[in-house]
Amino acid sequence: MGEGNEFSQMAVLPLGTGNDLSRVLGWGSGTNGDLDILQYLNDVYAAGTQKLDRWKIMIKSKNQFGRRTVITNMKMSNYVSIGVDASVTLGMQKTRKSIPRALSSRLLNKLLFFSFGTKDVFTRTCKGLHDKISLYLDDQLVELPGIEGIVFLNIQCWGAGVQPWKYADEERPQKLDDGVFEVFAVTSSFHIAQMQVGLASPLFIGQARKAVVVTKNGSVLPMQW
């Protein structure tokens, strides 16, 4: 994962469930069905500009026969994660796609996320993640504690309003446009739930300009961005 150099302007309309970028930029945690479009456009016209880092993600994998390396390139503006939170989100997305009309509201989507998170407390699908990956930050190998999820964070919010770096004991403050991302870890889906209600802090791993994650022993891991 490395930094990109492209520049473009965009506006944010918080129609999703988490809306973390919208929260950070001051556009709120969500909107309802009575949105005044003209007022919104006027607000956009009057708003200032905030620079935001955009990161390149390259995924290298083998094809099904293991003979050829497949390279997938993506972009990241908010965060990318590997492990338990990605697993919970994947389960939620599969269910949401199967019955999209029944899960069209933000409240129902949050309840669905909660149900999959509760399920993972018992199944622990990403247990022992630290034994399945090697993490390099700025070309330095990082020794990981016992974790089930790791997050590379570019903005101040994650997981529908959680501010993971708020209590980090770091000299460098977190910014949207400093060419640096933050890395933290979680130990379980229950740990995530505790963070969401302010009862726990993440495991702070560090800050970097480049990250490399290498999977071990052919491990297949959930990822979201």
Side-chain angles (χ1 to χ4, degrees), residues 81-92 113 116-129 147-151 158 184-193 195 221-224:
S81 63
I82 300 171
V84 60
D85 64 323
S87 177
V88 171
T89 302
L90 177 61
M92 183 185 76
F113 187 88
F116 276 98
T118 302
K119 177 182 177 182
D120 194 83
V121 170
F122 302 99
T123 59
R124 300 190 66 184
T125 55
C126 297
K127 182 180 179 180
L129 179 65
I147 61 173
E148 293 188 16
I150 189 166
V151 182
W158 163 86
F184 69 90
V186 295
T187 58
S188 66
S189 58
F190 183 67
H191 185 195
I192 294 175
M195 290 172 59
L221 303 170
M223 171 182 170
Q224 71 163 335

Side-chain angles (χ1 to χ4, degrees), residues 23-215:
R23 296 170 191 263
V24 170
L25 296 178
W27 292 93
S29 60
T31 186
N32 51 36
D34 60 353
L35 175 69
D36 186 335
I37 295 296
L38 290 179
Q39 182 60 53
Y40 169 75
L41 292 176
N42 286 331
D43 291 341
V44 170
Y45 182 78
T49 301
Q50 167 65 58
K51 290 184 178 180
L52 177 70
D53 290 336
R54 194 164 182 237
W55 298 88
K56 296 178 181 178
I57 301 175
M58 178 186 293
I59 301 175
K60 294 183 179 180
S61 58
K62 296 290 185 180
N63 64 4
Q64 59 180 337
F65 301 107
R67 297 178 180 177
R68 184 169 63 89
T69 299
V70 179
I71 298 178
T72 304
N73 292 298
M74 301 180 296
K75 302 287 187 180
M76 183 273 282
S77 298
N78 294 4
Y79 48 80
V80 59
S81 63
I82 300 171
V84 60
D85 64 323
S87 177
V88 171
T89 302
L90 177 61
M92 183 185 76
Q93 283 293 97
K94 287 182 177 179
T95 302
R96 188 160 59 179
K97 286 183 178 180
S98 65
I99 46 174
R101 291 187 178 181
L103 296 170
S104 58
S105 75
R106 295 177 65 238
L107 176 59
L108 289 176
N109 278 292
K110 288 184 177 181
L111 290 174
L112 183 63
F113 187 88
F114 174 78
S115 67
F116 276 98
T118 302
K119 177 182 177 182
D120 194 83
V121 170
F122 302 99
T123 59
R124 300 190 66 184
T125 55
C126 297
K127 182 180 179 180
L129 179 65
H130 55 288
D131 292 325
K132 299 175 182 177
I133 63 172
S134 294
L135 172 66
Y136 297 83
L137 296 181
D138 293 335
D139 299 320
Q140 299 295 315
L141 178 64
V142 177
E143 183 176 351
L144 294 172
I147 61 173
E148 293 188 16
I150 189 166
V151 182
F152 304 87
L153 183 67
N154 187 50
I155 62 177
Q156 286 91 342
C157 281
W158 163 86
V162 179
Q163 299 182 44
W165 213 253
K166 184 177 181 179
Y167 302 105
D169 185 19
E170 295 287 336
E171 294 183 2
R172 183 193 295 270
Q174 185 182 23
K175 296 182 180 180
L176 300 177
D177 59 349
D178 57 356
V180 172
F181 55 84
E182 287 68 40
V183 186
F184 69 90
V186 295
T187 58
S188 66
S189 58
F190 183 67
H191 185 195
I192 294 175
Q194 288 179 306
M195 290 172 59
Q196 289 177 325
V197 295
L199 295 179
S201 297
L203 303 179
F204 302 110
I205 304 299
Q207 294 171 301
R209 298 180 183 275
K210 175 185 175 183
V212 176
V213 177
V214 181
T215 58

